[in-house]
C-alpha cells in the first residue's frame, strides 16, 4: 500500500515509520537460504549452531535491521479472553465499523479475520480531499496491514486478525509498545515451529531473518545488497555511517545485551544473548544451561 504523506505522522508516533519505509525496499524471500539456517536452529537456546559456535538474532539486530522500538510496554493479551471480550464486552464488528467507517462484505469475513484484499482495495488510495478523520481511518488500515503482513505474519497469510482493534482504537498510544521485542518473540516462536519435520510453510518476520543473514554473513550476500540506507534491511554498510541516532540512545543500547523474556501475546520466548557475546564484541564464556519457561496448568 502506498505510504501517503498525511499518514506518516501517525507511523512516526507509533514507532513504525522506519518499518513502513522498507515497503519500497522489499526483497524476495529466499526460502532455500532460510531453510538452511532453520536446520541449524536450536529451540532450547534460540540460537543457530554453526561450526564456529552459536549466533542469533538479537534486540540489537531488530533495532538495526527494522528500526523498531525495543522497550516500553509489551504487546500482550490472551487471544481466548480477547475473543470473549470482543464478542460479549464490545461486539467486534461494532468496534470495527467505528474504526474503519464500514464493514467488509460477508464474503471477506471469516470468524475474527478479514481478507487482505478488502483492506488493500478499500484503503489503497487516500482521497486528495480527505478530512483529518478520514486520514486517521486510512492510517489505521495501513498500520493494520503493516503489522499483519510484514511484522507478525502467520500461515494464515491472506487474512487480517481483529486482535489489533484495541491497539488501533488509540493511534496516539501506539508508540508506547515494544514492537521490536514482540517481533523478535514471534520470530523465535516461528523458527521453533519451523524445525518440526511436518512443517512446510515458513511464517514470521522473514524479512528480518533474511536481512540479518545478509548482514552477518556477507559472503552469501546477493549482488546489489550494498546500498547505503537505514533501516539496514535496505542496505549493507558500516553501521555508524547510516544508523539513525534514536536507535543508538543509551536507554535502548542497555537492552541489547539483556537476558530477558520477549512477549508477543501468548508467545513468551527468552532472549539468551549471554550465549552470543562475540556478536557484541565480547569474549564468550562457558554458557549457562538453556533457559526454559515451564507452563503450569
Amino acid at each position: 500500500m502506498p505510504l501517503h504523506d498525511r499518514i506518516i505522522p501517525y507511523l512516526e508516533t507509533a514507532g513504525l515509520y522506519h518499518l513502513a519505509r522498507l515497503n519500497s525496499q522489499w526483497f524476495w524471500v529466499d526460502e532455500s537460504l532460510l531453510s538452511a539456517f532453520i536446520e541449524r536452529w536450536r529451540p532450547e537456546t534460540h540460537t543457530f549452531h554453526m561450526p564456529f559456535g552459536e549466533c542469533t538474532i538479537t534486540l540489537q539486530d531488530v533495532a538495526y535491521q527494522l528500526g523498531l522500538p525495543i522497550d516500553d510496554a509489551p504487546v500482550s493479551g490472551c487471544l481466548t479472553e480477547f475473543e470473549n471480550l470482543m464478542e460479549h464486552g464490545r461486539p467486534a464488528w461494532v468496534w470495527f465499523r467505528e474504526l474503519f467507517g464500514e464493514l467488509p462484505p460477508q464474503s471477506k469475513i471469516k470468524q475474527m479475520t478479514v481478507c487482505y484484499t478488502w483492506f488493500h482495495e478499500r484503503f489503497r488510495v487516500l482521497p486528495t480531499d480527505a478530512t483529518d478523520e478520514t486520514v486517521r481511518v486510512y492510517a489505521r488500515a495501513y498500520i493494520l496491514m503493516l503489522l499483519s503482513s510484514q511484522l507478525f505474519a502467520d500461515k494464515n497469510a491472506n487474512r487480517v486478525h481483529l486482535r489489533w482493534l484495541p491497539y488501533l482504537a488509540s493511534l496516539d498510544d501506539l508508540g508506547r509498545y515494544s514492537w521490536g521485542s514482540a517481533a523478535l518473540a514471534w520470530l523465535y516462536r516461528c523458527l521453533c515451529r519451523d524445525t518440526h519435520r511436518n512443517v512446510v510453510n515458513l511464517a514470521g518476520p522473514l524479512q528480518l531473518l533474511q536481512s540479518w543473514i545478509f548482514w552477518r554473513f556477507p559472503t552469501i550476500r546477493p549482488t546489489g545488497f550494498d546500498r547505503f540506507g537505514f533501516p539496514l534491511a535496505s542496505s549493507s554498510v558500516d553501521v555508524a555511517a547510516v544508523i539513525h541516532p534514536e536507535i543508538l540512545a543509551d536507554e535502548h543500547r542497555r537492552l541489547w545485551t539483556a537476558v530477558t523474556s520477549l512477549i508477543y501475546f501468548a508467545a513468551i520466548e527468552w532472549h539468551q544473548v549471554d550465549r552470543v557475546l562475540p556478536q557484541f564484541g565480547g569474549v564468550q564464556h562457558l554458557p549457562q544451561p538453556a533457559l526454559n519457561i515451564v507452563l503450569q496448568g
Side-chain angles (χ1 to χ4, degrees), residues 19-290:
L19 178 68
R21 289 170 55 219
L22 289 176
N23 282 333
S24 63
Q25 302 288 345
W26 185 264
F27 48 79
W28 290 105
V29 170
D30 186 338
E31 292 194 6
S32 297
L33 174 65
L34 300 188
S35 295
F37 272 77
I38 290 171
E39 289 180 359
R40 293 183 173 272
W41 180 258
R42 300 300 301 178
E44 66 275 14
T45 60
H46 292 149
T47 58
F48 297 102
H49 282 215
M50 299 294 186
F52 55 80
E54 295 180 71
C55 60
T56 195
I57 308 99
T58 69
L59 287 173
Q60 180 193 52
D61 295 307
V62 176
Y64 279 6
Q65 301 293 337
L66 301 182
L68 290 170
I70 58 171
D71 50 9
D72 291 323
V75 179
S76 63
C78 176
L79 292 185
T80 301
E81 293 179 359
F82 162 79
E83 293 190 4
N84 290 336
L85 170 66
M86 296 290 283
E87 292 296 341
H88 304 299
R90 186 175 189 182
W93 299 108
V94 172
W95 205 349
F96 188 99
R97 185 193 294 272
E98 291 178 5
L99 294 179
F100 294 102
E102 62 185 89
L103 292 177
Q106 282 298 317
S107 60
K108 301 294 184 179
I109 296 173
K110 183 178 180 181
Q111 296 178 336
M112 304 292 287
T113 66
V114 181
C115 282
Y116 279 135
T117 53
W118 182 80
F119 276 98
H120 189 268
E121 294 167 0
R122 175 62 183 82
F123 298 107
R124 185 176 186 275
V125 180
L126 179 68
T128 55
D129 59 347
T131 64
D132 290 344
E133 180 53 36
T134 298
V135 173
R136 290 175 66 86
V137 170
Y138 275 70
R140 292 189 190 103
Y142 189 98
I143 292 172
L144 184 63
M145 292 285 284
L146 193 67
L147 296 176
S148 299
S149 64
Q150 193 163 336
L151 203 56
F152 301 110
D154 56 23
K155 293 184 179 179
N156 193 9
N158 62 345
R159 310 194 72 83
V160 177
H161 199 283
L162 299 190
R163 67 170 66 95
W164 301 111
L165 291 189
Y167 293 88
L168 296 172
S170 179
L171 290 175
D172 295 336
D173 290 335
L174 282 174
R176 70 182 186 89
Y177 294 103
S178 179
W179 299 112
S181 63
L184 189 56
W186 183 234
L187 177 59
Y188 282 178
R189 177 60 59 91
C190 291
L191 287 173
C192 292
R193 290 175 176 171
D194 290 341
T195 59
H196 298 163
R197 62 168 52 186
N198 60 337
V199 173
V200 294
N201 295 321
L202 303 181
L206 300 180
Q207 185 182 28
L208 168 60
L209 173 58
Q210 185 162 309
S211 181
W212 176 82
I213 294 171
F214 290 165
W215 179 261
R216 296 290 185 178
F217 298 85
T219 57
I220 59 176
R221 187 182 299 157
T223 303
F225 194 77
D226 54 3
R227 297 181 302 276
F228 286 76
F230 177 78
L232 293 186
S234 67
S235 65
S236 175
V237 294
D238 176 57
V239 172
V242 297
I243 208 71
H244 199 285
E246 69 185 22
I247 301 300
L248 300 175
D250 287 342
E251 60 267 28
H252 303 314
R253 293 166 65 97
R254 285 193 292 268
L255 294 174
W256 294 348
T257 55
V259 177
T260 185
S261 57
L262 307 170
I263 300 173
Y264 171 63
F265 287 100
I268 304 175
E269 304 289 349
W270 282 109
H271 185 240
Q272 301 188 69
V273 291
D274 58 321
R275 309 182 71 90
V276 294
L277 292 180
Q279 290 184 211
F280 299 93
V283 177
Q284 184 62 53
H285 54 70
L286 185 65
Q288 298 295 317

